């Protein structure tokens, strides 16, 4: 190659570099951004399957993630990320993720308002009726499919809550709601502005369509204690009390309290006007609680503690303690056999045979294992199956006879929160709220995800919805649907 041609090619290369926008650098900030984008282009040719966590869109799924940079799929370029503690920088991974989640939530809310959801593809009322007439569906399957069809037609409406203190309704935030056995009442725990909690009972018998109005009955004497766990208790009659596991406050130790529902004025069912008995038991550090309806453990409740299960008889005061290897986060009594099922932080699920006492090792009747901390256990009506969820977002259906997992329900989101399961066998559905604030409804029989409901509030750790589902909200002639408490509001997703 002669000298003149080499110099000409060199000048041509310099001019092309100057004309290329990737090589036109103005300042150190642009230089770093441009270098990141250029390296992204080079690496994308060599590794097309590199994962991208900066965006959930399909167009950015093949763009590699670069440490310290964020790829914007709309502007199609990288931006520098600064540490999240830098208050002057609005662009952090957390803020980007929240922005994406919020835009997705708003889009789903808009879609729900515009069009009806379809529980199963190719499934509608006419096809279901035709299959039933031809004998392809039995009565049980027809009823379950009918409920699935109604679920796809649920519409969100805000419930008007009335109270003797209307100003408190505007400031107090719902922490949890818990329906009683007949879905006549909701026990509520609200976080108050000054700190602590306030308890109330909502009478659902006035919940009628199209005007959804309820009344909140409160008792201000029992407040300022954070609730770890709660369940309805049947001491005098069905659901006569509420069992609360309360955290300690200052020098006051934690305790388990039986709070009579009659203390909340006019909240008890008609015809039952007897005053209840207020009981408090010094049980510090209780993670979970359960009330026994089994005749062999009558008037008894259980509390799950750190490495211990404590069984207490309310009438006699007698206690039995069972040592465990981990904290007990979830509990439920069986009804037909004297067994108490427990879910632990270690991922173990075990049953205590109450007939064996706490001596020796024979009281452990069944053992199952999850890979993460178990947050909820629910026994099905025939007591041959158990549903459990954990902090890895896994929901599993276990066969207690073979101690094997026979079904898994996909889509639940949980990393560290205490989130309950709601099993409704009559309707054939499973309901759970994820840590991402989405309420998901599955078919209990084939684990098909029927519907995903976004929260009316922006997703946050402080505003995870609490829900209650029933085909008879407010009693036998009540409204069928889902109640969702989030923030200061109560919503009803009733059947269309």
């Amino acid at each position: 190659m002669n000298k003149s041609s080499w110099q000409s090619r060199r000048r041509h290369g310099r001019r092309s570099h100057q004309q290329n926008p990737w090589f036109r650098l103005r300042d150190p900030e642009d230089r770093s951004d441009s270098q990141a984008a250029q390296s992204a282009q080079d690496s994308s040719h060599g590794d097309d399957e590199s994962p991208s966590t900066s965006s959930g869109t399909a167009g950015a799924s093949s763009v590699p993630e670069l440490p310290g940079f964020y790829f914007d799929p709309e502007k199609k370029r990288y931006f520098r990320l600064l540490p999240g503690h830098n208050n002057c920088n609005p662009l952090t991974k957390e803020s980007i993720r929240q922005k994406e989640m919020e835009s997705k939530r708003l889009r789903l809310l808009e879609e729900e308002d515009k069009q009806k959801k379809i529980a199963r593809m190719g499934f509608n009322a006419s096809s279901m009726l035709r299959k039933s007439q031809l004998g392809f569906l039995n009565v049980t399957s027809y009823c379950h499919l009918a409920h699935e069809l109604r679920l796809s037609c649920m519409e969100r409406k805000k419930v008007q809550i009335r109270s003797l203190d209307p100003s408190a309704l505007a400031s107090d935030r719902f922490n949890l709601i818990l329906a009683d056995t007949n879905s006549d009442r909701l026990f509520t725990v609200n976080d108050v502005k000054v700190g602590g909690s306030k308890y109330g009972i909502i009478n659902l018998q006035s919940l009628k369509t199209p005007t959804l109005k309820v009344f909140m009955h409160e008792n201000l004497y029992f407040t300022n204690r954070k609730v770890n766990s709660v369940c309805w208790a049947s001491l005098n009659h069905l659901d006569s009390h509420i069992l609360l596991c309360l955290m300690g406050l200052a020098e006051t130790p934690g305790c388990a309290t039986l709070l009579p529902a009659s203390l909340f004025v006019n909240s008890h069912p008609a015809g039952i006007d007897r005053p209840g008995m207020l009981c408090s038991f010094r049980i510090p550090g209780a993670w979970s609680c359960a009330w026994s309806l089994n005749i062999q453990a009558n008037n008894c409740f259980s509390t799950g503690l750190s490495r211990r299960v404590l069984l207490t008889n309310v009438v006699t005061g007698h206690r039995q303690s069972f040592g465990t290897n981990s904290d007990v986060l979830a509990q439920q009594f069986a009804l037909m056999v004297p067994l108490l099922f427990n879910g632990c932080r270690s991922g173990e699920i075990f049953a205590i045979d109450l007939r064996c006492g706490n001596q020796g090792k024979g009281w452990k009747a069944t053992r199952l294992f999850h890979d993460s901390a178990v947050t909820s256990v629910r026994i099905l009506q025939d007591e041959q199956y158990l549903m459990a969820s954990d902090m890895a977002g896994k929901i599993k259906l276990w066969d207690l006879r073979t101690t094997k997992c026979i079904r898994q329900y996909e889509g639940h989101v949980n990393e560290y929160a205490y989130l309950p399961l709601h099993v409704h066998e009559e309707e054939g559905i499973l309901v759970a709220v994820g840590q991402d604030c989405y309420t998901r409804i599955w078919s209990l029989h084939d684990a098909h995800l029927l519907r995903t409901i976004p929260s009316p509030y922006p997703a946050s750790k402080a505003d995870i919805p609490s829900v209650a589902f029933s085909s008879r909200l407010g009693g036998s002639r009540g409204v069928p649907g889902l109640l969702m408490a989030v923030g200061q509001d109560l919503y009803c997703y009733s059947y269309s």
Side-chain angles (χ1 to χ4, degrees):
M1 181 182 297
N2 55 35
K3 183 176 181 181
S4 61
S5 64
W6 178 80
Q7 290 176 345
S8 175
R9 190 170 298 179
R10 183 180 181 186
R11 286 194 300 271
H12 176 72
R14 186 182 299 113
R15 283 196 301 271
S16 64
H17 276 39
Q18 292 171 353
Q19 293 173 358
N20 193 332
W22 290 108
F23 292 90
R24 197 180 301 126
L25 306 181
R26 297 179 181 83
D27 51 68
E29 184 71 21
D30 288 342
R31 184 179 297 113
S32 60
D33 290 348
S34 302
Q35 289 174 354
Q38 180 64 34
S39 61
Q41 279 193 342
D42 297 339
S43 60
S44 64
H45 294 294
D47 186 11
D48 292 336
E49 298 181 356
S50 298
S52 173
T53 59
S54 59
S55 176
T57 60
S61 59
S62 61
V63 178
E65 181 182 3
L66 299 180
F69 290 88
Y70 157 69
F71 181 81
D72 192 321
E74 296 179 358
K75 298 182 179 179
K76 297 182 179 180
R77 61 166 292 185
Y78 284 85
F79 292 91
R80 181 189 293 273
L81 282 173
L82 295 180
H85 61 269
N86 189 339
N87 296 328
C88 299
N89 176 35
L91 196 63
T92 62
K93 285 188 175 182
E94 184 66 23
S95 64
I96 292 166
R97 190 176 67 86
Q98 289 180 353
K99 181 181 177 181
E100 291 175 352
M101 290 178 62
E102 179 63 11
S103 62
K104 177 185 175 183
R105 185 189 70 87
L106 293 175
R107 186 180 73 253
L108 291 176
L109 281 176
E110 186 178 356
E111 291 176 359
E112 282 210 338
D113 294 336
K114 287 183 178 180
Q115 60 185 5
K116 293 181 179 179
K117 296 291 182 181
I118 301 176
R120 297 180 187 268
M121 294 301 296
F123 172 72
N124 52 44
S126 59
S127 65
M128 183 184 69
L129 183 60
R130 184 63 176 165
K131 289 180 180 179
S132 176
Q133 291 173 345
L134 294 174
F136 296 142
L137 292 176
N138 57 33
V139 176
T140 304
S141 300
Y142 180 84
C143 292
H144 290 162
L145 291 174
H147 275 291
E148 291 183 8
L149 186 62
R150 293 182 183 125
L151 288 173
S152 63
C153 300
M154 290 195 308
E155 297 177 353
R156 183 182 73 254
K157 292 182 180 179
K158 190 173 179 180
V159 179
Q160 181 181 349
I161 306 175
R162 295 174 295 171
S163 173
L164 296 177
D165 186 11
S167 61
L169 295 176
S171 59
D172 299 344
R173 307 173 68 86
F174 281 103
N175 186 306
L176 65 88
I177 58 174
L178 183 66
D180 63 1
T181 305
N182 296 325
S183 299
D184 290 327
R185 298 166 293 172
L186 281 181
F187 179 74
T188 66
V189 178
N190 294 68
D191 294 333
V192 296
K193 251 186 176 182
V194 296
S197 299
K198 181 172 65 176
Y199 318 136
I201 287 182
I202 294 178
N203 194 329
L204 297 179
Q205 293 179 353
S206 60
L207 187 68
K208 307 292 182 181
T209 56
T211 57
L212 300 172
K213 297 180 180 180
V214 294
F215 195 89
M216 169 83 78
H217 303 274
E218 298 173 333
N219 192 315
L220 302 180
Y221 292 102
F222 301 95
T223 57
N224 302 326
R225 303 289 293 275
K226 182 180 177 182
V227 179
N228 272 350
S229 183
V230 58
C231 69
W232 286 91
S234 302
L235 185 58
N236 298 338
H237 53 81
L238 183 64
D239 299 332
S240 62
H241 288 67
I242 302 100
L243 177 61
L244 301 167
C245 289
L246 305 177
M247 287 189 63
L249 181 67
E251 297 181 356
T252 306
C255 65
T257 298
L258 272 172
L259 191 63
S262 58
L263 292 178
F264 300 87
V265 182
N266 296 328
S267 65
H268 49 273
I272 300 175
D273 205 10
R274 293 174 295 176
M277 178 176 61
L278 175 64
C279 306
S280 186
F281 303 87
R282 185 171 178 176
I283 305 176
W287 294 102
S288 58
C289 64
W291 181 265
S292 172
L293 293 176
N294 191 293
I295 192 64
Q296 298 188 50
N298 195 26
N299 296 327
C300 291
F301 71 91
S302 175
T303 46
L305 313 176
S306 296
R307 300 179 180 273
R308 190 161 59 105
V309 173
L310 190 62
L311 185 66
T312 305
N313 188 303
V314 177
V315 178
T316 64
H318 179 260
R319 290 185 178 184
Q320 282 183 289
S321 180
F322 301 86
T324 66
N325 297 322
S326 181
D327 302 338
V328 180
L329 305 182
Q331 295 182 305
Q332 189 181 11
F333 283 93
L335 182 61
M336 295 185 290
V337 291
L339 294 177
L340 170 63
F341 287 86
N342 305 269
C344 299
R345 191 184 298 275
S346 62
E348 180 186 7
I349 301 172
F350 65 90
I352 296 177
D353 191 337
L354 303 177
R355 296 165 295 191
C356 298
N358 56 357
Q359 302 298 323
K361 296 294 182 180
W363 49 265
K364 273 198 177 184
T366 305
R367 298 184 72 185
L368 311 170
F369 294 94
H370 277 236
D371 295 329
S372 183
V374 177
T375 60
S376 182
V377 291
R378 286 291 174 265
I379 309 167
L380 273 61
Q381 289 178 0
D382 58 6
E383 299 190 358
Q384 296 179 355
Y385 302 93
L386 178 139
M387 190 84 67
S389 64
D390 59 32
M391 289 189 182
K394 303 294 184 183
I395 301 178
K396 296 181 180 182
L397 179 64
W398 294 88
D399 189 328
L400 296 177
R401 296 163 296 183
T402 62
T403 64
K404 291 183 179 180
C405 175
I406 59 173
R407 197 168 295 137
Q408 191 161 325
Y409 300 79
E410 303 292 343
H412 186 55
V413 177
N414 191 11
E415 295 178 357
Y416 56 81
Y418 181 82
L419 301 174
L421 290 176
H422 307 272
V423 179
H424 301 275
E425 292 188 67
E426 182 181 348
E427 296 83 6
I429 63 170
L430 167 68
V431 183
V433 180
Q435 201 172 336
D436 57 354
C437 297
Y438 284 87
T439 302
R440 294 174 175 86
I441 305 176
W442 294 266
S443 168
L444 194 61
H445 307 284
D446 60 4
H448 178 74
L449 182 60
L450 301 173
R451 187 163 177 183
T452 301
I453 304 175
S455 171
Y457 275 55
S460 69
K461 299 175 183 177
D463 285 323
I464 298 179
S466 181
V467 299
F469 179 88
S470 175
S471 58
R472 294 176 294 273
L473 289 172
S476 58
R477 297 183 181 180
V479 178
L482 176 80
L483 285 175
M484 177 186 293
V486 56
Q488 293 95 359
D489 298 322
L490 181 66
Y491 296 90
C492 181
Y493 292 76
S494 58
Y495 290 172
S496 175

